[in-house]
Coordinates of all heavy atoms in Angstrom, one line a residue:
M1 N 112.3 94.5 112.7 CA 111.3 95.6 112.4 C 110.0 95.1 113.0 O 109.3 95.9 113.5 CB 111.2 95.9 111.0 CG 110.4 97.0 110.8 SD 110.8 97.8 109.1 CE 109.2 98.0 108.5
R2 N 109.6 93.8 112.8 CA 108.3 93.3 113.1 C 108.4 93.4 114.7 O 107.2 93.8 115.2 CB 108.1 91.8 112.8 CG 108.0 91.7 111.4 CD 108.0 90.3 110.9 NE 106.8 89.5 111.5 CZ 106.5 88.3 111.2 NH1 107.3 87.6 110.4 NH2 105.5 87.7 111.7
L3 N 109.5 93.2 115.4 CA 109.5 93.2 116.8 C 109.3 94.7 117.3 O 108.5 95.1 118.3 CB 110.8 92.7 117.4 CG 111.0 92.9 118.9 CD1 110.0 92.0 119.7 CD2 112.5 92.5 119.3
V4 N 109.9 95.7 116.6 CA 109.8 97.1 117.1 C 108.3 97.6 116.9 O 107.9 98.2 117.8 CB 110.7 98.0 116.2 CG1 110.4 99.4 116.3 CG2 112.2 97.7 116.5
F5 N 107.6 97.2 115.8 CA 106.4 97.6 115.6 C 105.5 96.9 116.6 O 104.5 97.6 117.2 CB 105.9 97.4 114.2 CG 106.2 98.5 113.2 CD1 107.5 98.6 112.7 CD2 105.2 99.3 112.8 CE1 107.8 99.6 111.8 CE2 105.4 100.3 111.9 CZ 106.8 100.5 111.5
S6 N 105.6 95.8 116.9 CA 104.8 95.0 117.8 C 104.9 95.6 119.2 O 103.9 95.8 119.9 CB 105.2 93.4 117.8 OG 104.4 92.8 118.8
L7 N 106.1 95.8 119.6 CA 106.4 96.4 121.0 C 105.8 97.8 121.1 O 105.2 98.1 122.2 CB 107.9 96.3 121.4 CG 108.3 94.9 121.7 CD1 109.8 95.1 121.9 CD2 107.6 94.2 122.8
S8 N 106.1 98.5 120.1 CA 105.6 99.9 120.1 C 104.1 100.0 120.1 O 103.5 100.9 120.8 CB 106.1 100.7 118.8 OG 107.5 100.8 118.8
S9 N 103.4 99.2 119.3 CA 102.0 99.0 119.4 C 101.5 98.8 120.6 O 100.4 99.2 121.2 CB 101.5 98.1 118.3 OG 101.8 98.6 116.9
K10 N 102.1 97.7 121.3 CA 101.6 97.4 122.7 C 101.8 98.5 123.7 O 100.9 98.7 124.6 CB 102.3 96.1 123.2 CG 102.0 94.8 122.5 CD 102.8 93.7 122.9 CE 102.3 92.4 122.1 NZ 103.1 91.3 122.4
Y11 N 102.9 99.2 123.6 CA 103.3 100.3 124.6 C 102.4 101.4 124.4 O 101.9 102.0 125.3 CB 104.8 100.5 124.4 CG 105.2 101.6 125.5 CD1 105.4 101.3 126.8 CD2 105.4 102.9 125.1 CE1 105.8 102.2 127.7 CE2 105.8 103.9 126.0 CZ 106.0 103.5 127.3 OH 106.4 104.5 128.3
F12 N 102.3 101.9 123.1 CA 101.5 103.1 122.9 C 100.1 102.9 122.5 O 99.3 103.8 122.3 CB 102.2 103.8 121.7 CG 103.5 104.3 122.1 CD1 104.5 103.9 121.1 CD2 103.8 105.1 123.2 CE1 105.9 104.4 121.5 CE2 105.1 105.6 123.4 CZ 106.1 105.2 122.6
G13 N 99.6 101.6 122.5 CA 98.2 101.3 122.3 C 97.9 101.3 120.7 O 98.6 101.6 119.9
G14 N 96.7 100.6 120.5 CA 96.3 100.5 119.1 C 96.8 99.4 118.5 O 97.5 98.6 119.0
P15 N 96.2 99.1 117.3 CA 96.6 97.9 116.5 C 98.0 97.9 116.1 O 98.6 98.9 115.9 CB 95.6 97.8 115.5 CG 95.3 99.2 115.1 CD 95.3 99.8 116.5
N16 N 98.6 96.6 115.8 CA 99.8 96.5 115.2 C 99.6 97.0 113.7 O 99.0 96.3 113.0 CB 100.4 95.2 115.4 CG 101.9 95.0 114.9 OD1 102.4 95.9 114.3 ND2 102.4 93.9 115.2
V17 N 100.4 98.0 113.3 CA 100.2 98.5 111.9 C 101.0 97.7 110.9 O 100.8 97.7 109.7 CB 100.5 100.0 111.8 CG1 99.6 100.8 112.5 CG2 101.9 100.3 112.1
L18 N 101.8 96.7 111.5 CA 102.5 95.9 110.7 C 101.8 94.6 110.5 O 102.0 93.7 111.4 CB 104.0 95.8 111.2 CG 105.1 95.3 110.2 CD1 106.3 95.9 110.6 CD2 105.1 93.9 110.0
D19 N 101.1 94.4 109.4 CA 100.5 93.1 109.1 C 101.4 92.2 108.3 O 101.6 92.5 107.0 CB 99.2 93.4 108.5 CG 98.4 92.0 108.1 OD1 98.9 91.0 108.5 OD2 97.4 92.2 107.5
A20 N 102.0 91.2 108.8 CA 103.0 90.4 108.0 C 102.5 89.6 106.9 O 103.1 89.0 106.1 CB 103.8 89.6 109.0
S21 N 101.0 89.5 106.8 CA 100.4 88.8 105.7 C 99.9 89.7 104.6 O 99.4 89.1 103.7 CB 99.3 88.0 106.3 OG 98.2 88.8 106.8
S22 N 100.2 91.0 104.8 CA 99.6 91.8 103.8 C 100.5 91.9 102.5 O 101.7 91.6 102.5 CB 99.6 93.3 104.3 OG 100.8 93.8 104.5
A23 N 100.0 92.5 101.4 CA 100.7 92.7 100.2 C 101.7 93.7 100.4 O 102.9 93.7 99.8 CB 99.8 93.0 99.0
D24 N 101.5 94.8 101.3 CA 102.4 95.8 101.5 C 103.7 95.2 102.2 O 104.8 95.7 101.9 CB 101.8 96.9 102.3 CG 100.8 97.7 101.6 OD1 100.9 97.8 100.4 OD2 99.8 98.1 102.3
W25 N 103.6 94.3 103.1 CA 104.7 93.7 103.9 C 105.5 93.0 102.9 O 106.7 92.9 102.8 CB 104.2 92.9 104.9 CG 105.3 92.1 105.7 CD1 105.7 90.9 105.6 CD2 106.3 92.6 106.5 NE1 106.6 90.5 106.4 CE2 107.2 91.6 106.9 CE3 106.5 94.0 106.9 CZ2 108.3 91.8 107.6 CZ3 107.7 94.1 107.7 CH2 108.5 93.1 108.1
R26 N 104.8 92.2 102.0 CA 105.5 91.4 101.0 C 106.3 92.4 100.1 O 107.5 92.1 99.7 CB 104.6 90.5 100.2 CG 104.1 89.3 101.0 CD 103.3 88.3 100.1 NE 102.1 88.9 99.5 CZ 100.9 88.9 100.0 NH1 100.7 88.6 101.3 NH2 99.9 89.5 99.4
A27 N 105.7 93.4 99.7 CA 106.4 94.4 98.8 C 107.6 95.0 99.5 O 108.7 95.2 99.0 CB 105.5 95.7 98.4
F28 N 107.4 95.3 100.8 CA 108.6 95.8 101.6 C 109.8 94.7 101.7 O 111.0 95.1 101.5 CB 108.2 96.0 103.1 CG 109.2 96.7 104.0 CD1 109.6 97.8 103.9 CD2 109.8 95.8 105.0 CE1 110.6 98.5 104.7 CE2 110.9 96.3 105.8 CZ 111.2 97.7 105.6
R29 N 109.4 93.5 101.9 CA 110.4 92.3 101.9 C 111.1 92.2 100.6 O 112.3 92.0 100.4 CB 109.8 91.0 102.3 CG 109.2 91.1 103.8 CD 110.3 91.0 104.7 NE 111.2 89.9 104.5 CZ 111.4 88.9 105.3 NH1 110.5 88.7 106.3 NH2 112.3 87.9 105.1
K30 N 110.4 92.3 99.5 CA 110.8 92.3 98.0 C 111.8 93.4 97.9 O 112.8 93.4 97.3 CB 109.8 92.3 97.1 CG 110.2 92.2 95.7 CD 110.9 90.8 95.4 CE 111.2 90.7 94.0 NZ 112.1 89.6 93.7
A31 N 111.5 94.7 98.3 CA 112.3 95.9 98.3 C 113.6 95.7 98.9 O 114.6 96.1 98.4 CB 111.6 97.1 98.7
I32 N 113.5 95.0 100.0 CA 114.9 94.7 100.7 C 115.7 93.8 99.9 O 117.0 94.1 99.8 CB 114.7 94.2 102.1 CG1 114.0 95.2 103.0 CG2 115.9 93.6 102.7 CD1 113.5 94.7 104.3
E33 N 115.0 92.8 99.3 CA 115.8 92.0 98.4 C 116.4 92.7 97.3 O 117.6 92.4 96.8 CB 114.9 90.8 97.9 CG 114.5 89.8 98.9 CD 113.6 88.8 98.4 OE1 113.4 88.7 97.2 OE2 113.0 88.1 99.3
I34 N 115.7 93.6 96.6 CA 116.2 94.4 95.5 C 117.3 95.2 95.9 O 118.4 95.4 95.3 CB 115.0 95.3 95.0 CG1 113.9 94.3 94.3 CG2 115.5 96.3 94.0 CD1 112.7 95.0 94.0
R35 N 117.2 95.9 97.1 CA 118.3 96.6 97.6 C 119.6 95.9 97.9 O 120.7 96.3 97.5 CB 117.9 97.3 99.0 CG 118.9 98.1 99.6 CD 119.6 97.3 100.8 NE 120.6 98.1 101.4 CZ 121.7 97.5 101.9 NH1 121.9 96.3 101.7 NH2 122.6 98.2 102.5
N36 N 119.3 94.7 98.5 CA 120.5 93.8 98.7 C 121.1 93.4 97.5 O 122.4 93.3 97.4 CB 120.1 92.5 99.5 CG 119.8 93.0 100.9 OD1 120.2 94.0 101.4 ND2 119.1 92.1 101.6
R37 N 120.4 93.1 96.5 CA 120.9 92.7 95.1 C 121.8 93.7 94.5 O 122.9 93.5 94.0 CB 119.8 92.2 94.2 CG 120.4 91.6 92.9 CD 119.2 91.5 91.9 NE 118.9 92.8 91.3 CZ 117.7 93.3 91.0 NH1 116.6 92.6 91.3 NH2 117.5 94.5 90.5
L38 N 121.3 95.0 94.5 CA 122.0 96.1 94.0 C 123.2 96.5 94.9 O 124.3 97.0 94.2 CB 121.0 97.3 94.0 CG 119.9 97.3 93.1 CD1 119.0 98.6 93.2 CD2 120.3 97.2 91.6
M39 N 123.2 96.3 96.2 CA 124.4 96.6 97.0 C 125.4 95.6 96.9 O 126.6 95.9 97.1 CB 124.0 96.9 98.5 CG 122.9 98.1 98.6 SD 123.8 99.7 98.2 CE 123.0 100.1 96.6
H40 N 125.0 94.3 96.6 CA 126.0 93.3 96.7 C 125.8 92.4 95.3 O 125.4 91.3 95.4 CB 125.8 92.4 97.9 CG 125.8 93.1 99.2 ND1 126.9 93.6 99.7 CD2 124.8 93.5 100.0 CE1 126.6 94.3 100.9 NE2 125.3 94.1 101.1
P41 N 126.0 93.1 94.2 CA 125.8 92.3 93.0 C 126.9 91.1 92.9 O 128.0 91.3 93.1 CB 126.1 93.3 91.9 CG 127.0 94.3 92.5 CD 126.6 94.3 94.0
R42 N 126.4 90.1 92.2 CA 127.1 88.9 92.0 C 127.5 88.8 90.5 O 128.5 88.3 90.1 CB 126.5 87.6 92.4 CG 126.4 87.5 93.8 CD 125.8 86.2 94.3 NE 125.9 86.2 95.7 CZ 124.8 85.9 96.5 NH1 123.7 85.6 95.9 NH2 124.9 85.9 97.7
E43 N 126.7 89.5 89.7 CA 127.0 89.6 88.2 C 126.5 91.0 87.7 O 125.5 91.7 88.4 CB 126.4 88.4 87.5 CG 124.9 88.1 87.7 CD 124.5 87.0 87.2 OE1 125.1 85.8 87.5 OE2 123.5 86.9 86.5
L44 N 126.8 91.3 86.5 CA 126.4 92.6 86.0 C 124.9 92.7 85.9 O 124.3 93.8 86.2 CB 127.1 92.8 84.6 CG 127.0 94.2 84.0 CD1 127.6 95.3 85.0 CD2 127.6 94.2 82.7
A45 N 124.2 91.7 85.6 CA 122.6 91.6 85.4 C 122.0 92.0 86.8 O 120.9 92.4 86.8 CB 122.2 90.4 85.0
D46 N 122.7 91.8 87.9 CA 122.1 92.1 89.2 C 121.9 93.7 89.4 O 121.2 94.1 90.3 CB 123.0 91.7 90.3 CG 122.9 90.2 90.5 OD1 122.1 89.4 90.0 OD2 123.8 89.6 91.2
L47 N 122.5 94.5 88.5 CA 122.5 95.9 88.7 C 121.3 96.5 87.8 O 121.0 97.6 87.9 CB 123.7 96.6 88.2 CG 125.0 96.2 89.1 CD1 126.2 96.9 88.6 CD2 124.8 96.7 90.5
D48 N 120.6 95.7 87.1 CA 119.4 96.0 86.2 C 118.2 96.1 87.2 O 118.1 95.2 87.9 CB 119.1 95.0 85.1 CG 120.2 95.0 84.1 OD1 121.0 96.0 83.9 OD2 120.4 93.9 83.3
V49 N 117.6 97.2 87.1 CA 116.4 97.4 87.8 C 115.1 97.4 86.8 O 115.0 98.3 86.0 CB 116.4 98.6 88.7 CG1 115.1 98.8 89.6 CG2 117.6 98.5 89.5
L50 N 114.2 96.5 86.9 CA 113.0 96.5 86.0 C 112.0 97.4 86.5 O 111.9 97.9 87.7 CB 112.5 95.2 86.0 CG 113.4 94.0 85.5 CD1 112.9 92.7 85.6 CD2 114.0 94.2 84.2
D51 N 111.0 97.8 85.7 CA 109.9 98.8 86.1 C 109.1 98.1 87.2 O 108.7 99.0 88.0 CB 109.1 99.1 84.8 CG 109.8 100.0 83.8 OD1 110.8 100.7 84.2 OD2 109.4 100.1 82.7
D52 N 108.8 96.9 87.1 CA 107.9 96.4 88.1 C 108.7 96.3 89.5 O 108.1 96.5 90.6 CB 107.4 95.0 87.8 CG 108.5 93.9 87.7 OD1 109.6 94.3 87.3 OD2 108.4 92.7 88.0
E53 N 110.0 96.2 89.5 CA 110.8 96.3 90.7 C 110.7 97.8 91.3 O 110.6 97.9 92.6 CB 112.2 96.0 90.5 CG 112.3 94.5 90.2 CD 113.8 94.1 89.9 OE1 114.6 94.8 89.2 OE2 114.2 93.1 90.3
L54 N 110.8 98.8 90.3 CA 110.7 100.1 90.9 C 109.2 100.4 91.5 O 109.1 101.1 92.5 CB 110.8 101.1 89.7 CG 112.3 101.3 89.3 CD1 112.4 102.3 88.1 CD2 113.1 101.9 90.4
D55 N 108.3 99.8 90.9 CA 106.8 99.9 91.4 C 106.7 99.3 92.8 O 106.2 99.8 93.8 CB 105.9 99.2 90.5 CG 105.7 100.0 89.2 OD1 106.0 101.2 89.1 OD2 105.2 99.4 88.2
T56 N 107.4 98.2 93.0 CA 107.5 97.4 94.3 C 108.1 98.4 95.4 O 107.7 98.4 96.4 CB 108.2 96.1 94.1 OG1 107.5 95.2 93.2 CG2 108.4 95.5 95.5
V57 N 109.2 99.0 95.0 CA 110.0 99.8 95.9 C 109.1 101.0 96.3 O 109.1 101.3 97.5 CB 111.4 100.2 95.4 CG1 112.0 101.2 96.1 CG2 112.2 99.0 95.2
V58 N 108.5 101.6 95.3 CA 107.6 102.7 95.6 C 106.5 102.3 96.6 O 106.1 103.0 97.5 CB 107.1 103.4 94.3 CG1 106.0 104.4 94.6 CG2 108.2 104.1 93.6
T59 N 105.8 101.2 96.3 CA 104.8 100.7 97.1 C 105.2 100.5 98.5 O 104.6 100.9 99.5 CB 104.2 99.3 96.6 OG1 103.7 99.6 95.2 CG2 103.2 98.7 97.4
A60 N 106.4 99.9 98.7 CA 107.1 99.6 100.1 C 107.3 100.9 100.7 O 107.1 100.9 101.9 CB 108.2 98.6 99.8
Q61 N 107.9 101.8 100.0 CA 108.2 103.1 100.7 C 107.0 103.8 101.1 O 107.0 104.3 102.4 CB 109.0 104.0 99.6 CG 109.5 105.3 100.3 CD 110.0 106.3 99.2 OE1 109.8 106.1 98.1 NE2 110.9 107.0 99.6
K62 N 105.9 103.8 100.3 CA 104.7 104.6 100.8 C 104.1 103.8 102.0 O 103.8 104.5 103.0 CB 103.7 104.5 99.7 CG 104.0 105.5 98.6 CD 103.0 105.4 97.4 CE 103.3 106.3 96.3 NZ 102.3 106.3 95.3
W63 N 104.1 102.5 101.9 CA 103.6 101.8 103.1 C 104.4 101.9 104.3 O 103.9 102.2 105.4 CB 103.5 100.2 102.8 CG 103.3 99.4 104.0 CD1 102.0 99.2 104.7 CD2 104.2 98.8 104.8 NE1 102.2 98.6 105.7 CE2 103.6 98.3 105.9 CE3 105.7 98.7 104.8 CZ2 104.2 97.4 106.9 CZ3 106.3 98.0 105.7 CH2 105.5 97.3 106.8
F64 N 105.7 101.9 104.2 CA 106.7 102.1 105.3 C 106.4 103.5 106.0 O 106.3 103.6 107.2 CB 108.0 101.9 105.0 CG 109.0 102.1 106.1 CD1 109.2 101.0 107.0 CD2 109.8 103.2 106.2 CE1 110.0 101.3 108.2 CE2 110.7 103.4 107.3 CZ 110.8 102.4 108.2
F65 N 106.5 104.4 105.1 CA 106.2 105.9 105.7 C 104.9 106.1 106.4 O 104.8 106.6 107.4 CB 106.4 107.0 104.6 CG 107.8 107.1 104.1 CD1 108.0 107.7 102.9 CD2 108.9 106.9 104.9 CE1 109.3 107.9 102.4 CE2 110.2 106.9 104.5 CZ 110.5 107.6 103.2
G66 N 103.8 105.4 105.8 CA 102.6 105.6 106.4 C 102.5 104.8 107.8 O 101.9 105.3 108.7
A67 N 103.0 103.6 107.8 CA 103.1 102.8 108.9 C 103.9 103.6 110.1 O 103.5 103.6 111.3 CB 103.7 101.5 108.7
T68 N 105.0 104.2 109.8 CA 105.8 104.7 110.7 C 105.1 106.1 111.3 O 105.3 106.4 112.4 CB 107.3 105.0 110.3 OG1 107.2 105.8 109.1 CG2 108.0 103.8 110.1
I69 N 104.6 106.7 110.3 CA 103.8 108.0 110.8 C 102.7 107.7 111.6 O 102.5 108.4 112.7 CB 103.3 108.8 109.6 CG1 104.6 109.4 108.8 CG2 102.3 109.8 109.9 CD1 104.2 110.0 107.4
D70 N 101.9 106.6 111.3 CA 100.8 106.2 112.2 C 101.4 105.8 113.7 O 100.9 106.2 114.7 CB 100.1 105.0 111.6 CG 99.0 104.5 112.5 OD1 98.1 105.4 112.9 OD2 99.0 103.3 112.9
L71 N 102.4 105.1 113.7 CA 103.1 104.7 114.9 C 103.6 105.9 115.8 O 103.4 106.0 116.9 CB 104.2 103.7 114.7 CG 104.7 103.0 115.9 CD1 103.8 102.1 116.5 CD2 105.8 102.0 115.4
Q72 N 104.1 106.8 115.0 CA 104.7 108.1 115.6 C 103.4 108.9 116.2 O 103.6 109.4 117.2 CB 105.4 108.9 114.5 CG 106.0 110.3 115.2 CD 106.7 110.9 114.0 OE1 106.9 110.5 112.9 NE2 107.1 112.2 114.4
D73 N 102.4 109.0 115.5 CA 101.2 109.7 116.0 C 100.7 109.1 117.2 O 100.3 109.8 118.2 CB 100.2 109.9 114.9 CG 100.5 110.6 113.7 OD1 101.5 111.6 113.8 OD2 99.8 110.6 112.7
R74 N 100.6 107.8 117.3 CA 100.2 107.1 118.5 C 101.1 107.3 119.6 O 100.6 107.6 120.8 CB 99.9 105.6 118.2 CG 98.7 105.4 117.5 CD 98.2 104.0 117.4 NE 99.0 103.3 116.3 CZ 99.5 102.0 116.5 NH1 99.2 101.3 117.5 NH2 100.1 101.5 115.5
A75 N 102.4 107.3 119.3 CA 103.4 107.5 120.4 C 103.2 109.0 120.9 O 103.3 109.2 122.1 CB 104.8 107.2 119.9
W76 N 103.1 109.9 120.1 CA 102.9 111.3 120.4 C 101.7 111.5 121.3 O 101.8 112.2 122.3 CB 102.8 112.1 119.1 CG 102.6 113.6 119.4 CD1 101.6 114.4 119.3 CD2 103.7 114.5 119.7 NE1 101.8 115.7 119.5 CE2 103.1 115.8 119.9 CE3 105.0 114.3 120.1 CZ2 103.9 116.8 120.2 CZ3 105.8 115.4 120.4 CH2 105.1 116.7 120.4
E77 N 100.6 110.9 120.9 CA 99.4 110.9 121.8 C 99.6 110.3 123.1 O 99.1 110.9 124.1 CB 98.1 110.4 121.1 CG 97.7 111.1 119.9 CD 96.6 110.4 119.0 OE1 96.1 109.4 119.5 OE2 96.4 110.8 117.8
A78 N 100.2 109.1 123.2 CA 100.5 108.5 124.4 C 101.3 109.2 125.3 O 101.2 109.1 126.5 CB 101.1 107.0 124.2
L79 N 102.3 110.0 124.8 CA 103.2 110.7 125.6 C 102.6 112.2 126.0 O 103.3 113.0 126.5 CB 104.5 110.8 124.8 CG 105.3 109.6 124.6 CD1 106.5 109.8 123.8 CD2 105.6 109.0 126.0
G80 N 101.4 112.3 125.7 CA 100.8 113.6 126.1 C 100.7 114.7 125.0 O 100.1 115.8 125.1
G81 N 101.4 114.4 123.9 CA 101.5 115.4 122.8 C 102.1 116.7 123.1 O 101.8 117.8 122.4
E82 N 103.0 116.7 124.0 CA 103.7 118.0 124.4 C 104.8 118.1 123.5 O 105.7 117.3 123.2 CB 104.1 117.9 125.9 CG 103.0 117.8 126.8 CD 103.4 117.8 128.3 OE1 104.6 118.0 128.5 OE2 102.5 117.5 129.0
A83 N 104.9 119.3 122.9 CA 106.0 119.7 122.1 C 107.2 120.0 122.8 O 107.3 120.4 123.9 CB 105.7 120.9 121.1
S84 N 108.5 119.5 122.3 CA 109.7 119.8 122.9 C 110.4 120.8 122.0 O 110.5 120.6 120.8 CB 110.5 118.5 122.9 OG 111.8 118.8 123.4
D85 N 111.0 121.9 122.6 CA 111.7 122.9 121.9 C 113.1 122.5 121.6 O 113.9 123.2 121.0 CB 111.5 124.2 122.7 CG 110.1 124.9 122.6 OD1 109.4 124.5 121.7 OD2 109.8 125.5 123.6
Q86 N 113.6 121.5 122.3 CA 114.9 121.0 122.2 C 115.1 120.0 121.0 O 114.2 119.2 120.9 CB 115.4 120.4 123.5 CG 115.4 121.2 124.6 CD 115.8 120.5 125.9 OE1 116.0 119.3 125.8 NE2 115.8 121.2 127.0
A87 N 116.2 120.3 120.2 CA 116.4 119.5 119.1 C 117.4 118.4 119.3 O 118.4 118.6 120.1 CB 116.8 120.3 117.8

């Protein structure tokens, strides 16, 4: 994911919106760990989700959506912002 954001930022211009030292990035990485634990439990307790883990996942989701929307907007502008009627 870091590679995709880095290359997209270079290609479409603007800063790299993915700051690997930020709290949001850490929340995203933690959310992936939570997802992996839930999808591949080793014991029954692995299926428990704590309130702070839910907060972490929500934080990561908001950050991810914001980062991808920003990147999409820059790509749209770089490509001329022409709408395509084909789906």
Side-chain angles (χ1 to χ4, degrees):
M1 187 158 135
R2 290 171 69 176
L3 177 64
V4 169
F5 273 79
S6 176
L7 291 176
S8 297
S9 293
K10 287 179 184 176
Y11 182 76
F12 296 123
N16 186 350
V17 294
L18 199 152
D19 178 8
S21 65
S22 72
D24 292 329
W25 175 253
R26 287 190 299 275
F28 183 74
R29 296 290 304 258
K30 181 67 178 169
I32 291 172
E33 290 175 13
I34 294 167
R35 178 258 178 218
N36 289 343
R37 186 190 77 221
L38 292 170
M39 295 297 106
H40 308 287
R42 293 191 176 120
E43 54 189 55
L44 190 57
D46 288 343
L47 297 174
D48 292 335
V49 180
L50 305 174
D51 288 341
D52 66 325
E53 291 177 322
L54 286 176
D55 292 340
T56 298
V57 170
V58 169
T59 298
Q61 181 184 28
K62 287 179 182 179
W63 169 80
F64 180 77
F65 286 160
T68 55
I69 288 170
D70 180 59
L71 194 57
Q72 179 182 354
D73 289 345
R74 284 191 279 144
W76 182 254
E77 290 174 13
L79 296 173
E82 297 179 10
S84 172
D85 292 333
Q86 299 176 359

